[in-house]
Amino acid sequence: MIWHPSPNGSFSVKSAYRLAREGTDICGNIHMGQTSSFGVLPTVWKKLWGLQIHPKVKLFMWKCLNNVLTTNVALFARKFRFDPVCSRCGKAEESISHVLFRCEVAIKVWIHSPFRLRPEELLDCRNMTDWWDCIQERINQSHMPPFSLGMALLYCWWIWRARNDFIVNGKCWATEAVSGKAQGDFFEFKDANSKVPSPLSRSTRNGTLVWQCPGMNVTKINVDAAVSRSSNSIGTGTMARGNDGKVLGIFLSIHTSITSSRIAEAMAIRDGLKLGIDLNLSKVVIESDAEAIVRKCSTSLDPPIDIAAIIFDCLALKESFSSCEFDFVKHDCNRVAQCCAQKALLNGWSGMWTSILPPWGSQLSDV
């Protein structure tokens, strides 16, 4: 016995449901969805399934692209609702395109997202395929990393979650809340599913993580900052070392009227880039134990307003190198930079040493 409408010949509720849907579409029900073979290019499916995001988000986007999400329009067509109008804005029928990027609530989210989509761009998108093309174009125009597409899908996911929370619980989400959830989920999943663990997490000395030498022709610059709220000042310390572990340069600096640790860590990364430029380096790796700041420098996505100018400085200085990477390391692997920052803060030292190192500089090379 075989079930001919299914590819493998086995009967399932899913295959019967698909067959019933196809029959309904033939009868002209415009509110029902179509199968994935219609209206969506194969390249879209290939890119969607290849994204490094949570599978539930991929499935959600598959539903959107196939027009099978349970919006008010879909529920109205199935006679589960008496009104297809959007529950939040009340100005138009709640289709998939409306709820995710044409509703005034969704438009506010996209305007303040890293993609900076304009209202007219969103209103021109008639369906999910149009939105897909629009977001791809924006990513290319803004020179954003390819993985930014996955973040865009997470924005859709959390806009939908916020919509459901409003309908079920009557809770109104702030624009910042949706954006924060989307970006937080994206980077958390990306970090947790990194394919190549850092060698720093595997190299130990007496059970303690230790600094690792960079590759050939690469210079590693460790940076850190120390904050003193009593003196209302910060100290930054950076040290550059080659693949043989030899110290190539040290840069210490003092900044007053600053007590924000986030600003201090961002300024330390900027000082590390300045040290690399002064040493006339070509390939560098900037290591810091401030994970959030490293992430902002690596992705250049919507930095916080208090450090935005510093991050943009870092991105501009990055162009001075043929290769420049920003890596997060544990505190144990960044002790040398921490010692430099504390020396700058406690002793009031500020300066750059590149050719002749101070006596204490050579001692720190083994930290």
Side-chain angles (χ1 to χ4, degrees):
M1 300 291 291
I2 62 170
W3 172 249
H4 70 86
S6 64
N8 60 3
S10 299
F11 172 82
S12 67
V13 174
K14 180 180 178 181
S15 61
Y17 177 68
R18 183 173 64 246
L19 183 64
R21 276 185 50 221
E22 291 174 350
T24 306
D25 290 340
I26 294 174
C27 294
N29 189 338
I30 61 173
H31 291 292
M32 296 298 289
Q34 293 179 328
T35 59
S36 60
S37 60
F38 292 90
V40 181
L41 295 175
T43 53
V44 174
W45 296 125
K46 184 177 180 180
K47 183 164 290 188
L48 173 62
W49 303 130
L51 289 173
Q52 294 296 319
I53 55 176
H54 200 287
K56 67 181 180 183
V57 180
K58 295 181 183 180
L59 179 59
F60 169 77
M61 188 51 56
W62 179 89
K63 292 179 179 180
C64 294
L65 290 167
N66 280 291
N67 195 30
V68 294
L69 209 60
T70 53
T71 59
N72 288 349
V73 166
L75 294 174
F76 177 77
R78 300 174 189 175
K79 304 187 185 306
F80 288 113
R81 281 186 65 91
F82 297 105
D83 190 356
V85 175
C86 176
S87 304
R88 291 192 290 179
C89 71
K91 297 180 179 179
E93 290 188 349
E94 191 197 60
S95 61
I96 295 176
S97 59
H98 175 81
V99 70
L100 294 183
F101 46 82
R102 293 168 67 94
C103 179
E104 59 186 24
V105 179
I107 288 176
K108 291 180 181 178
V109 174
W110 289 112
I111 290 175
H112 295 93
S113 73
F115 307 95
R116 308 295 186 196
L117 294 176
R118 298 187 300 271
E120 54 270 22
E121 291 179 302
L122 296 166
L123 294 175
D124 285 342
C125 297
R126 297 164 297 176
N127 50 49
M128 287 302 300
T129 306
D130 288 348
W131 173 87
W132 184 281
D133 295 337
C134 177
I135 204 73
Q136 286 273 57
E137 183 178 356
R138 177 50 56 90
I139 291 173
N140 294 334
Q141 288 177 348
S142 304
H143 303 290
M144 301 172 75
F147 59 71
S148 300
L149 179 60
M151 183 182 292
L153 303 191
L154 265 166
Y155 265 84
C156 290
W157 161 264
W158 279 104
I159 289 173
W160 178 251
R161 286 287 302 273
R163 173 262 187 193
N164 293 342
D165 203 12
F166 175 81
I167 292 177
V168 177
N169 301 317
K171 180 180 178 181
C172 295
W173 286 41
T175 301
E176 296 78 8
V178 177
S179 183
K181 287 285 188 180
Q183 294 190 42
D185 270 12
F186 176 77
F187 286 114
E188 181 179 355
F189 185 83
K190 186 174 181 292
D191 293 343
N193 290 273
S194 177
K195 293 183 179 180
V196 183
S198 170
L200 295 169
S201 63
R202 300 192 302 266
S203 303
T204 61
R205 180 192 299 158
N206 298 326
T208 304
L209 295 175
V210 296
W211 180 85
Q212 292 291 291
C213 294
M216 189 64 66
N217 301 322
V218 178
T219 302
K220 185 174 288 187
I221 303 177
N222 287 83
V223 305
D224 202 2
V227 180
S228 173
R229 301 191 184 279
S230 58
S231 61
N232 198 33
S233 60
I234 65 170
T236 64
T238 68
M239 178 179 283
R241 286 177 284 185
N243 64 309
D244 57 355
K246 181 181 178 180
V247 179
L248 303 178
I250 299 173
F251 183 20
L252 308 183
S253 63
I254 293 290
H255 305 274
T256 59
S257 302
I258 299 175
T259 57
S260 168
S261 58
R262 184 159 64 177
I263 294 177
E265 296 288 0
M267 296 180 75
I269 291 178
R270 184 172 62 183
D271 287 349
L273 291 167
K274 290 179 179 179
L275 176 61
I277 293 174
D278 199 78
L279 290 170
N280 197 28
L281 301 176
S282 176
K283 298 180 180 180
V284 298
V285 175
I286 307 295
E287 284 191 343
S288 169
D289 53 30
E291 184 175 7
I293 309 301
V294 170
R295 183 181 298 164
K296 293 299 180 182
C297 291
S298 301
T299 62
S300 69
L301 290 177
D302 198 22
I305 189 64
D306 58 334
I307 61 171
I310 305 175
I311 297 298
F312 292 146
D313 284 347
C314 293
L315 296 178
L317 294 172
K318 177 183 176 182
E319 300 301 320
S320 303
F321 306 95
S322 62
S323 173
C324 179
E325 298 179 2
F326 300 94
D327 286 349
F328 164 72
V329 293
K330 298 292 186 181
H331 294 285
D332 289 340
C333 305
N334 203 42
R335 292 194 303 273
V336 62
Q338 184 181 18
C339 291
C340 289
Q342 290 175 349
K343 281 184 176 293
L345 184 62
L346 297 177
N347 300 314
W349 291 348
S350 183
M352 185 180 293
W353 295 266
T354 56
S355 55
I356 301 177
L357 299 177
W360 53 266
S362 301
Q363 299 172 3
L364 288 177
S365 60
D366 295 328
V367 174

